């Protein structure tokens, strides 16, 4: 399932999002996706970049009796609510001028291969757009008009854009944060933690607390490659049931 906003350009402009990337906004989107996964445990993976998030459910899911309309409306509604609810945690006292609106669609991918192709496409799109936007906003911030920047970048290759960034702005694209270049992958992972457990002694039944190690599943956020095989070899549970 894909969740994306309506009129995201206007929303980001009117709320003064930093260009080309506002890490506060990206981390807010990640937090919303994390909340969605904790609410709907059937989601095994989420992938987000820019202003969109994709949620992957197993083919065997019975959530909402597999009704596409129910899946879409409920998940999008919860994501939208979390965006408003979590806003201050990332933007502080900066007011939300008006609430965002998110849309969505449900897509069936019958095989692991088609699912991986889809996620690879989204991550490749993340890189292509980020490289372009980084160049574009460097040119604009250097004094060029938006029209002049677009004309300068028209027809340029990836290597051309990398050269512009390095030679004119001393920016090595490879050194930029991975969240900008690869997007965010959220998945479930077992973690070990120490918790305090109340117990009674055998002799006098005195209540005491002692540390106990336990394992639990939680959502982790990664900024890694999903196009190659390494990620899928390290997380075989994601594709169980395909």
């Amino acid at each position: 399932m894909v969740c994306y906003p309506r009129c995201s350009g206007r929303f980001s402009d009117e709320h003064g999002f930093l260009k080309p990337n506002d890490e506060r906004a990206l981390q807010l989107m990640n937090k919303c996706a994390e909340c969605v996964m904790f609410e709907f445990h059937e989601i095994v993976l989420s992938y987000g970049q820019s202003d969109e998030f994709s949620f992957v459910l197993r083919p065997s899911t019975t959530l909402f009796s597999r009704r596409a309309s129910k899946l879409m409306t409920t998940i999008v509604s919860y994501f939208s609510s979390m965006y408003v609810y979590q806003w201050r945690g990332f933007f502080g006292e900066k007011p939300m001028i008006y609430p965002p609106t998110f849309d969505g669609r449900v897509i069936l991918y019958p095989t692991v291969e088609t699912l991986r192709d889809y996620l690879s496409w989204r991550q490749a799109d993340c890189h292509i757009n980020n490289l372009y936007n980084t160049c574009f906003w460097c040119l604009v911030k250097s004094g060029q008009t938006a029209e002049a920047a677009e004309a300068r970048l028209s027809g340029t290759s990836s290597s051309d854009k990398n050269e512009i960034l390095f030679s004119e702005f001393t920016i090595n694209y490879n050194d930029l944060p991975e969240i900008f270049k690869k997007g965010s992958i959220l998945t479930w992972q077992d973690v070990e933690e120490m918790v305090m457990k109340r117990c009674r002694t055998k002799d006098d039944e005195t209540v005491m607390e002692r540390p106990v190690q336990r394992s639990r599943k939680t959502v982790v956020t990664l900024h890694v490659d999903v196009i190659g095989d390494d990620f899928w070899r390290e997380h075989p549970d994601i594709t169980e049931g395909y």
Side-chain angles (χ1 to χ4, degrees):
M1 205 208 88
V2 187
C3 177
Y4 49 88
R6 296 178 63 250
C7 305
S8 62
R10 182 169 73 92
F11 185 89
S12 63
D13 288 344
E14 294 194 18
H15 287 86
F17 284 11
L18 303 176
K19 307 293 186 180
N21 294 291
D22 193 320
E23 191 161 359
R24 299 168 302 174
L26 294 174
Q27 296 293 359
L28 173 56
M29 292 284 285
N30 289 350
K31 183 63 177 180
C32 295
E34 177 188 294
C35 292
V36 168
M37 291 183 69
F38 277 118
E39 183 69 16
F40 306 104
H41 290 181
E42 292 86 349
I43 295 172
V44 294
L45 178 144
S46 303
Y47 175 74
Q49 56 113 343
S50 184
D51 58 358
E52 68 175 54
F53 247 98
S54 300
F55 299 99
V56 178
L57 295 99
R58 297 191 193 283
S60 59
T61 184
T62 58
L63 184 63
F64 300 125
S65 301
R66 301 177 62 85
R67 286 179 291 168
S69 60
K70 190 74 171 180
L71 288 167
M72 183 185 72
T73 55
T74 307
I75 292 175
V76 170
S77 174
Y78 195 80
F79 189 97
S80 302
S81 300
M82 282 297 107
Y83 195 95
V84 176
Y85 184 74
Q86 299 286 348
W87 174 268
R88 289 188 63 181
F90 297 87
F91 286 90
E93 296 302 317
K94 185 180 182 65
M96 179 178 283
I97 302 171
Y98 62 88
T101 304
F102 288 87
D103 199 352
R105 66 180 183 272
V106 176
I107 309 168
L108 295 177
Y109 291 109
T111 66
V112 173
E113 289 72 22
T114 52
L115 172 63
R116 286 188 55 176
D117 285 346
Y118 167 76
L119 293 171
S120 297
W121 166 50
R122 300 318 304 139
Q123 190 166 70
D125 187 67
C126 174
H127 160 67
I128 292 169
N129 289 340
N130 184 62
L131 179 57
Y132 180 92
N133 290 334
T134 302
C135 283
F136 175 84
W137 284 106
C138 281
L139 293 170
V140 170
K141 290 176 181 179
S142 71
Q144 294 191 29
T145 64
E147 292 75 15
E150 288 178 0
R152 173 77 185 281
L153 295 175
S154 178
T156 56
S157 64
S158 294
S159 59
D160 294 333
K161 296 182 183 71
N162 275 289
E163 180 60 27
I164 291 172
L165 288 175
F166 188 75
S167 62
E168 298 185 27
F169 303 102
T170 63
I171 294 175
N172 185 331
Y173 183 78
N174 292 329
D175 293 338
L176 295 180
E178 295 299 298
I179 187 175
F180 300 161
K181 298 182 294 182
K182 292 186 171 69
S184 299
I185 303 100
L186 282 70
T187 188
W188 294 96
Q189 184 171 300
D190 289 320
V191 296
E192 299 293 328
E193 62 180 8
M194 297 297 294
V195 296
M196 300 304 293
K197 182 178 179 180
R198 294 172 64 88
C199 58
R200 295 179 182 274
T201 62
K202 292 182 178 179
D203 299 331
D204 56 7
E205 295 191 348
T206 303
V207 177
M208 300 178 61
E209 287 191 343
R210 63 184 180 90
V212 176
Q213 187 173 28
R214 72 175 185 182
S215 176
R216 68 180 178 89
K217 282 191 175 294
T218 191
V219 176
V220 295
T221 302
L222 309 170
H223 311 292
V224 297
D225 176 73
V226 296
I227 298 174
D229 295 328
D230 288 349
F231 173 81
W232 302 98
R233 278 196 293 261
E234 293 168 5
H235 300 86
D237 53 304
I238 294 174
T239 54
E240 284 181 2
Y242 269 90

